[in-house]
Amino acid sequence: MYFMSWKKVLGKSTIRIATTALLLTQLFGAAGSVSAAGNDVEVHLIGINDFHGQLDTTSMVGDKKAGSAPILATYLKETQAKYEHSLLFHNGDSVGASAPASSLDRDEPTMEWMNMMGFDVGSLGNHEFDQGVAALKAQIFGGLDPKEGKVTHAGAKFDYVNANVIETATGKTLIQPYVIKEVGGVKIGFIGLVTKSTPAKVSPAGTAGVRFLSAEEEVEAVNKYAKELQDKGVETIIVLAHDPATTKEGVTTGEAADLAKALPADSPVDVIVAGDNHALANGEVNGKLIVQAYSYGTAFEDIKLMIDPATGDVTEKSATVTTTFQEGVKEDPETVAIIKKSLDKHPELTKPVGTTDGSVTRTDAYNNEASLGNLIADAMRQADFGDKASDADFAFMNPGGIRADLPKGDVTFADLAKIQPFGNTLVKLELTGEQIKTLLQQQWGTNADGTPNTKTLQISGLKYSADFNKPVAERITSLSLEDGTPIDAKKTYTSVVNNFMAAGGDSYKVLLDAKSSLAGPIDLDVFYQYIVDTYKGGSIEAKNEGRITNLAVSTEPTETPVTTEVISRAEFVSALVDMLKLNEVATAPAFKDVAANAAYADAIAEATHAGLIQGYGGNFYPERDITREEASTILAKLVNSPASEANAATIIATFEDGKSVSTYAIKPMAKLIDKGILGGTDKKSLQPKQGLTTNDAKALIEKAVAAKAS
């Protein structure tokens, strides 16, 4: 059925954070086949991944607050206190793309927090490379941070491991490949890995001087170091692999799963901890337990190992993933003190620079024009490079560099810093019109498995149309200045990008061929000043303006078959989310009857976040047939209508069965009738309790979305 394929149509990879109730079916990894003997040692590995320096950041999990370092710290400390034998670890991206309370001091506050917490071992993520190898080493081993030379790092008081990053000058691993920890009289080995996609995720300067092992070399390295660990009497081996993985409907996939499959079935590796894609993983692949606990400190994993002290072998293994809800949990005072020290140094973080109505977001920025993307690109375009030149002709912003939305209500510098946390330098380039076209074509890449890898640039100063029914070389059907003047292929234009893009990051390789390059100010500074100068503390406004027009690939048959099959509430919402191209939230739906791994869970989460659905009694009843009046209450939220309550009743009364319309649906149905979206089934009756067929639902959604856009 059409409505069940919405995810495949979008081809999106969204991230969902489940509530505790929704996680119950996914909490336990597969146990080993051998029961634990009475004298086995029980060890718990307590860990996080992708914390990203979110020291003072509160996330929403469903409709509940979760995360922030003071809350996470309480959970971690209380969990460790329950067990006689435990180790605390993190699995990469603990720093980088951080909240300003951490990033303004080069993530030293996050490093201080991890030292205070007593982490035992950590691995490298791709974001540890954001500012280059020298900065990475300063953070880990201590010393003056090379960026601006203003921060001196104390260094980590715990071990970092990585086995697949090689220094080109020495041919050796950048840091120690593994470490052995002893707890409860048993030895546990930790081998570190980072995603092989790191060179494409950070600026080329970030990985200068190192190379990353190929998939085949990585497997060889894991086997090699596992053998070395065994030779040292270690049989319990954990791979901290900052590689993506996801478990859905009992199946675990991703780079970490690929690694598990590539290792021998009898490999001594017991557990692979995943990361990078901020998802839930908890399942077994080729005898290896794979676990990941979302991101931003909104969850943590508790990996339980039963270890035979005589042989050192793991006899049982399982894991739970717990969401760090804030309600009823006291903040850890030591963590609060670290955050306060940072905030006291930066009073500018709390001063409002304007307000928004919540509509300036990065929604679907990887695929389409986004209002926040337009705002950032406009700021970049007018940046002052000290060359006494007028504004640049164009600006281009990579969607991966837009890390948060502008919040509804007051906007502070801290909010802007969460959006652009990298401290990138802006660069002005000279590019021909032909190179501009090539740059846009390089947005549309392809993954190794043949699936699309789209990174739509957010733009200023130009507009274009793209037909996705055509090959990349022919996809751009029009390309012009804002006023419609066609861009001259041979003319030279000035364009502003960030230094990540200018160095060929995200595969925008044509920028390496720019005629000239001029480095300028920091992107966040420019964005902040643009907001201050343009909106003067008032309402910050930005919208989609038709800068990008994408004609989607045609997936519909030439003739839509008529069907009388009635669709469910979940199918209706999935189709609506698909057509609206919603892809904004990173939380699971809060309804008790919507499982986090359900095919429609992402759509329901998006619709809830957009205010389109509410459910009732804590449930959504996804499998129940949707009625005409239920559909109307959802679609009516998309359109404006001047109809008053009295007018609504009058409109409904014109239908023979108007009195059968539920009170809650009178105004919504009237709004849709007033806008020409909804009509009577036979022009005389509304049949509000009747279910919707696939074709009727599709027609209603298309009309409502069109009315919203008009």
Side-chain angles (χ1 to χ4, degrees):
M1 188 180 297
Y2 168 80
F3 294 100
M4 295 302 290
S5 62
W6 74 281
K7 273 189 165 184
K8 294 180 180 178
V9 171
L10 284 180
K12 68 181 185 178
S13 176
T14 54
I15 301 164
R16 298 292 173 248
I17 305 174
T19 63
T20 298
L22 296 179
L23 279 173
L24 289 178
T25 59
Q26 302 178 24
L27 287 179
F28 299 100
S33 58
V34 181
S35 297
N39 63 343
D40 281 356
V41 178
E42 180 177 330
V43 177
H44 289 260
L45 308 180
I46 315 300
I48 61 173
N49 57 273
D50 297 272
F51 181 62
H52 288 291
Q54 302 298 309
L55 292 176
D56 59 342
T57 300
T58 292
S59 301
M60 296 303 294
V61 176
D63 60 351
K64 297 180 181 180
K65 293 181 178 180
S68 84
I71 297 295
L72 173 63
T74 296
Y75 273 95
L76 295 178
K77 287 182 178 182
E78 290 183 350
T79 300
Q80 280 201 287
K82 294 189 303 183
Y83 306 126
E84 182 180 1
H85 307 301
S86 66
L87 294 170
L88 187 62
F89 71 88
H90 78 77
N91 194 31
D93 278 8
S94 288
V95 298
S98 304
S102 181
S103 65
L104 289 180
D105 288 315
R106 299 293 296 116
D107 280 317
E108 180 59 15
T110 295
M111 298 297 295
E112 181 182 354
W113 175 73
M114 289 193 293
N115 283 337
M116 180 276 295
M117 287 295 297
F119 275 78
D120 294 287
V121 62
S123 67
L124 300 180
N126 49 283
H127 279 280
E128 272 79 2
F129 290 88
D130 281 343
Q131 302 301 332
V133 171
L136 178 156
K137 287 186 174 181
Q139 283 184 331
I140 295 176
F141 303 118
L144 185 66
D145 191 284
K147 185 173 183 180
E148 300 175 355
K150 295 180 180 180
V151 175
T152 299
H153 293 286
K157 296 179 181 179
F158 54 92
D159 292 293
Y160 270 81
V161 290
N162 179 272
N164 69 330
V165 180
I166 308 300
E167 281 193 296
T168 52
T170 65
K172 299 179 180 179
T173 55
L174 178 64
I175 60 177
Q176 60 182 344
Y178 62 83
V179 68
I180 300 171
K181 297 291 178 179
E182 187 166 340
V183 58
V186 294
K187 295 179 179 179
I188 302 176
F190 292 88
I191 301 172
L193 298 174
V194 65
T195 174
K196 295 172 286 299
S197 300
T198 298
K201 289 175 175 284
V202 302
S203 167
T207 56
V210 296
R211 75 175 185 90
F212 293 75
L213 299 183
S214 66
E216 294 77 12
E217 290 174 319
E218 185 176 277
V219 172
E220 291 178 3
V222 171
N223 287 333
K224 170 189 172 183
Y225 294 125
K227 178 63 167 58
E228 287 187 16
L229 285 166
Q230 286 184 306
D231 291 343
K232 295 179 180 181
V234 180
E235 294 293 340
T236 299
I237 299 176
I238 314 299
V239 176
L240 298 181
H242 190 78
D243 289 333
T246 304
T247 301
K248 287 190 175 182
E249 299 180 0
V251 178
T252 302
T253 58
E255 273 188 37
D258 294 340
L259 171 63
K261 294 175 184 176
L263 293 172
D266 61 351
S267 167
V269 171
D270 299 290
V271 179
I272 299 175
V273 184
D276 188 55
N277 63 324
H278 299 196
L280 169 72
N282 196 354
E284 193 166 305
V285 176
N286 195 23
K288 290 81 177 168
L289 177 61
I290 299 177
V291 188
Q292 182 182 187
Y294 298 111
S295 63
Y296 285 10
T298 58
F300 67 94
E301 59 252 294
D302 177 353
I303 302 169
K304 176 183 176 181
L305 303 176
M306 299 300 294
I307 304 172
D308 184 334
T311 65
D313 291 320
V314 172
T315 59
E316 290 185 9
K317 55 192 175 189
S318 62
T320 62
V321 176
T322 302
T323 302
T324 56
F325 291 119
Q326 293 186 358
E327 185 176 358
V329 179
K330 292 183 179 180
E331 293 186 328
D332 174 63
E334 291 181 283
T335 303
V336 170
I338 291 173
I339 295 172
K340 183 179 184 301
K341 182 171 64 173
S342 176
L343 294 178
D344 286 347
K345 292 171 60 178
H346 301 285
E348 72 275 14
L349 292 177
T350 57
K351 183 180 179 181
V353 295
T355 62
T356 80
D357 61 2
S359 65
V360 185
T361 70
R362 55 182 172 152
T363 301
D364 203 27
Y366 272 82
N367 299 297
N368 291 286
E369 176 183 347
S371 55
L372 180 55
N374 286 347
L375 183 65
I376 293 172
D378 287 345
M380 293 169 62
R381 186 181 167 201
Q382 57 79 61
D384 183 1
F385 282 76
D387 56 355
K388 299 181 180 181
S390 57
D391 291 354
D393 296 311
F394 312 125
F396 301 91
M397 178 63 194
N398 59 307
I402 307 175
R403 304 296 291 195
D405 296 329
L406 278 177
K408 184 176 182 179
D410 285 344
V411 176
T412 65
F413 176 83
D415 296 314
L416 302 183
K418 289 176 183 178
I419 292 169
Q420 293 196 287
F422 296 108
N424 285 327
T425 300
L426 295 183
V427 181
K428 186 188 291 186
L429 306 174
E430 284 190 309
L431 300 168
T432 65
E434 185 62 34
Q435 288 174 318
I436 296 293
K437 184 176 181 180
T438 299
L439 173 63
L440 295 176
Q441 291 170 341
Q442 289 178 347
Q443 300 174 128
W444 304 309
T446 304
N447 293 316
D449 61 1
T451 57
N453 183 357
T454 297
K455 297 183 179 72
T456 298
L457 291 168
Q458 302 300 301
I459 59 177
S460 178
L462 72 161
K463 60 182 180 180
Y464 70 89
S465 297
D467 185 347
F468 280 77
N469 294 288
K470 296 182 177 182
V472 170
E474 304 171 15
R475 187 166 294 171
I476 296 176
T477 55
S478 68
L479 178 59
S480 67
L481 304 178
E482 290 176 313
D483 62 5
T485 304
I487 289 179
D488 187 336
K490 296 184 179 181
K491 183 178 177 179
T492 297
Y493 300 89
T494 53
S495 299
V496 177
V497 300
N498 56 45
N499 61 304
F500 168 74
M501 287 182 57
D506 269 348
S507 298
Y508 300 120
K509 301 301 183 185
V510 69
L511 298 181
L512 297 172
D513 299 325
K515 181 180 178 181
S516 67
S517 174
L518 176 63
I522 301 298
D523 55 1
L524 176 59
D525 295 341
V526 169
F527 189 36
Y528 169 76
Q529 200 60 48
Y530 181 79
I531 296 294
V532 170
D533 293 344
T534 304
Y535 302 102
K536 305 184 186 308
S539 177
I540 302 171
E541 299 177 351
K543 61 182 180 180
N544 291 356
E545 303 172 351
R547 300 181 186 186
I548 301 172
T549 302
N550 288 329
L551 177 61
V553 174
S554 176
T555 58
E556 295 296 318
T558 54
E559 293 185 8
T560 303
V562 177
T563 176
T564 58
E565 184 177 358
V566 177
I567 69 166
S568 69
R569 289 163 57 82
E571 289 171 325
F572 181 84
V573 169
S574 296
L576 176 59
V577 168
D578 180 6
M579 196 161 293
L580 290 173
K581 300 185 183 300
L582 300 181
N583 184 16
E584 180 177 358
V585 301
T587 58
F591 303 113
K592 293 180 288 187
D593 58 352
V594 179
N597 62 349
Y600 46 71
D602 290 353
I604 291 176
E606 294 288 354
T608 303
H609 178 75
L612 299 175
I613 59 174
Q614 292 178 313
Y616 40 95
N619 293 305
F620 181 68
Y621 303 98
E623 304 295 345
R624 198 182 70 192
D625 293 344
I626 193 165
T627 64
R628 286 167 58 82
E629 65 180 14
E630 287 176 334
S632 296
T633 62
I634 296 172
L635 296 179
K637 294 173 183 176
L638 298 177
V639 299
N640 295 317
S641 172
S644 65
E645 296 288 351
N647 289 340
T650 300
I651 291 172
I652 296 299
T654 61
F655 293 87
E656 292 178 349
D657 58 351
K659 292 183 179 180
S660 66
V661 176
S662 300
T663 302
Y664 76 87
I666 291 176
K667 189 169 183 180
M669 295 190 84
K671 284 177 67 174
L672 297 188
I673 293 168
D674 180 58
K675 299 290 286 187
I677 297 170
L678 179 70
T681 56
D682 56 2
K683 299 189 182 299
K684 293 183 180 180
S685 62
L686 287 171
Q687 297 189 23
K689 306 299 191 290
Q690 177 179 300
L692 277 177
T693 66
T694 299
N695 293 332
D696 288 343
K698 182 173 182 293
L700 278 177
I701 292 172
E702 287 177 342
K703 289 179 181 179
V705 172
K708 175 180 183 292
S710 62

